[in-house]
Amino acid sequence: FIADVGQYSWEEVSFQPADSPGGENYGWNAIEGTHDFSGNPPASDVVMPIFEYGHSNGRCSITGGYVYRGEAVPALQGYYFYADYITGRIWSLRDVNGQWSEPAQEADTQLSISSFGEDEAGELYVVDHGGAIYRLGSSLPTLTDFVYLPIAATPE
């Protein structure tokens, strides 16, 4: 999954299969998301995003995440989680019989989400730009149970 911060108006998520050799053309700079950007048509081999959102309701900076593969909430295995840095909201997408679902808002936080993380067990973490790390708790899918993980100071 490739989350792409837009230039002016659209944020997007693209999907590249694991068996891809790479080198896909995601349309920049002819299109932004699925929308015209330069006035030039996209190349014939362009790979369109699986999802996009516009800069409405204060949203304007996607933060890509991970597909949940943990054991704490088996019902959410396979969901792709992402966030918006500006609003602090977290959403999920999933493949439903070959079609991508409409995004589900999972949380509305006060965080400036700058990154996600994943541990060896497939559990997900949210990184606040201020330095705090939160583990997505067992109350998913509402994500009301963020668990703050204090970061120990590095000994000098």
Side-chain angles (χ1 to χ4, degrees), residues 88-107:
R89 293 186 186 115
I90 300 172
W91 292 274
S92 68
L93 298 170
R94 66 186 178 112
D95 184 332
V96 180
N97 300 320
Q99 296 293 317
W100 292 100
S101 66
E102 288 295 317
Q105 183 175 310
E106 304 291 357

Side-chain angles (χ1 to χ4, degrees), residues 81-133:
F81 285 84
Y82 66 97
D84 186 85
Y85 176 84
I86 302 300
T87 66
R89 293 186 186 115
I90 300 172
W91 292 274
S92 68
L93 298 170
R94 66 186 178 112
D95 184 332
V96 180
N97 300 320
Q99 296 293 317
W100 292 100
S101 66
E102 288 295 317
Q105 183 175 310
E106 304 291 357
D108 187 359
T109 75
Q110 299 299 309
L111 305 175
S112 295
I113 300 170
S114 58
S115 189
F116 283 81
E118 179 183 41
D119 66 18
E120 291 177 350
E123 301 303 331
L124 297 183
Y125 298 81
V126 172
V127 179
D128 180 54
H129 190 174
I133 298 174

